[in-house]
Amino acid sequence: MVGVGTWDIDGDTVQESVRAGLDAGYAHVDTAEGYKNEGEIGEALADYDREDVFLTSKVLPKHLDYESVIEACEASLDRLGTDYLDLYLVHWPNPATSIRETMNAMATLHDQGKIRNVGVSNFSAYQLGAAQHVADVPIAVNQIEYHPWNTQDQVVEFCRDTDTVVEAAAPLGRTEVFADDVIQDLAAKYDKSPAQIILKWAVENDVVVLPKSSSPEHVRQNFDLFDWDLDTADRERIDAIEREQAVYDTGINDWDNDTYGISQ
């Protein structure tokens, strides 16, 4: 339910975060080829029992044709120093490539034992439904932007209806949500950090959270969620926050961006 997020951190910093998380009790690490830190994460994971870690990576939208999915996954496996991923996600939908072709490649990787679960990321309900319709392997996860300022109720409801696990990317709203008056009030009431309040709220809503931090202390603090509870009324206060503000999934795509764009 709580994973080590690794977006936008690399080098020694990402290794320290991963090690701090696994030593604190995390059993879930989330990365992607687009994060450009799989090699460093692989070095850190070499110090731990592979079977004790649920490891996720993602394929970029420019690599969603059949052969490119296979090649991208094999490259991620090599960088991570493992022969399988517990979960492999389509990082963003690509309207220029057939989702059927992408899902056929995912099925091949699954049949080969290179990935144990298939998922998507940043898919709308409509896009997820289309992917489910053509997928030979169940789509286990939709990783989306989810936090008190962007709950994406329609997508979450569709995921619930189709037995798809919701994972929260940017579960802290990239720290912007810390300033919310409700979050500040509850942090003071429970003597917890704003991050802990937000993460606890999401976990109690059955959403997997993937907070990232460059501070090992904050990584450990973000896992300290399981010996206390939010009162129902306080959880409902967070549910009732009336603000729709995405921090990254804004619907604006740069098709020419080398990392997330679509090659011509």
Side-chain angles (χ1 to χ4, degrees):
M1 290 298 292
V2 185
V4 180
T6 63
W7 171 80
D8 200 34
I9 49 176
D10 55 18
D12 291 342
T13 302
V14 75
Q15 290 186 343
E16 290 172 0
S17 292
V18 168
R19 291 190 176 105
L22 295 177
D23 291 345
Y26 289 72
H28 183 173
V29 176
D30 179 271
T31 185
E33 64 166 326
Y35 295 174
K36 299 181 179 179
N37 58 15
E38 290 174 316
E40 292 98 327
I41 290 173
E43 291 178 15
L45 292 176
D47 298 331
Y48 299 86
D49 188 337
R50 175 66 185 87
E51 289 295 324
D52 292 339
V53 181
F54 187 93
L55 181 60
T56 300
S57 193
K58 312 177 189 77
V59 54
L60 286 170
K62 64 181 179 178
H63 292 155
L64 297 188
D65 62 276
Y66 183 91
E67 292 297 334
S68 293
V69 172
I70 303 296
E71 292 171 2
C73 181
E74 291 175 343
S76 287
L77 291 172
D78 183 62
R79 288 188 292 267
L80 288 163
T82 184
D83 57 4
Y84 73 95
L85 293 168
D86 296 280
L87 177 63
Y88 197 42
L89 305 178
V90 178
H91 202 156
W92 287 88
N94 177 346
T97 302
S98 165
I99 190 63
R100 187 188 301 274
E101 184 173 352
T102 304
M103 287 300 140
N104 285 345
M106 289 288 201
T108 296
L109 291 167
H110 182 268
D111 290 346
Q112 292 174 344
K114 294 177 180 177
I115 60 177
R116 293 188 173 178
N117 294 279
V118 172
V120 297
S121 183
N122 303 302
F123 273 46
S124 68
Y126 175 82
Q127 291 163 334
L128 176 57
Q132 290 170 334
H133 186 68
V134 300
D136 291 328
V137 178
I139 295 176
V141 164
N142 188 12
Q143 185 181 124
I144 60 173
E145 179 175 336
Y146 178 92
H147 50 74
W149 285 0
N150 190 21
T151 54
Q152 300 207 63
D153 296 342
Q154 181 184 16
V155 179
V156 171
E157 182 178 0
F158 185 82
C159 289
R160 305 282 194 230
D161 290 344
T162 57
D163 294 324
T164 307
V165 173
V166 178
E167 289 187 348
L172 304 176
R174 295 188 175 164
T175 74
E176 292 184 25
V177 187
F178 290 0
D180 190 277
D181 289 343
V182 172
I183 301 302
Q184 287 287 322
D185 185 43
L186 294 178
K189 175 180 177 179
Y190 286 87
D191 192 25
K192 300 293 182 181
S193 70
Q196 287 172 313
I197 296 295
I198 295 166
L199 295 172
K200 184 66 174 181
W201 162 81
V203 168
E204 290 189 350
N205 283 341
D206 292 324
V207 172
V208 176
V209 292
L210 305 167
K212 74 103 177 181
S213 177
S214 58
S215 162
E217 179 183 355
H218 289 164
V219 171
R220 290 186 288 267
Q221 191 178 68
N222 289 341
F223 194 70
D224 185 17
L225 304 175
F226 300 104
D227 60 355
W228 59 282
D229 298 300
L230 288 171
D231 293 340
T232 299
D234 290 331
R235 188 166 64 250
E236 290 174 349
R237 286 183 65 192
I238 302 175
D239 290 338
I241 293 174
E242 293 184 358
R243 185 162 182 170
E244 290 298 324
Q245 181 176 327
V247 298
Y248 79 82
D249 190 4
T250 60
I252 300 172
N253 295 298
D254 179 0
W255 303 121
D256 294 320
N257 180 284
D258 183 58
T259 300
Y260 293 104
I262 299 170
S263 59
Q264 290 183 304

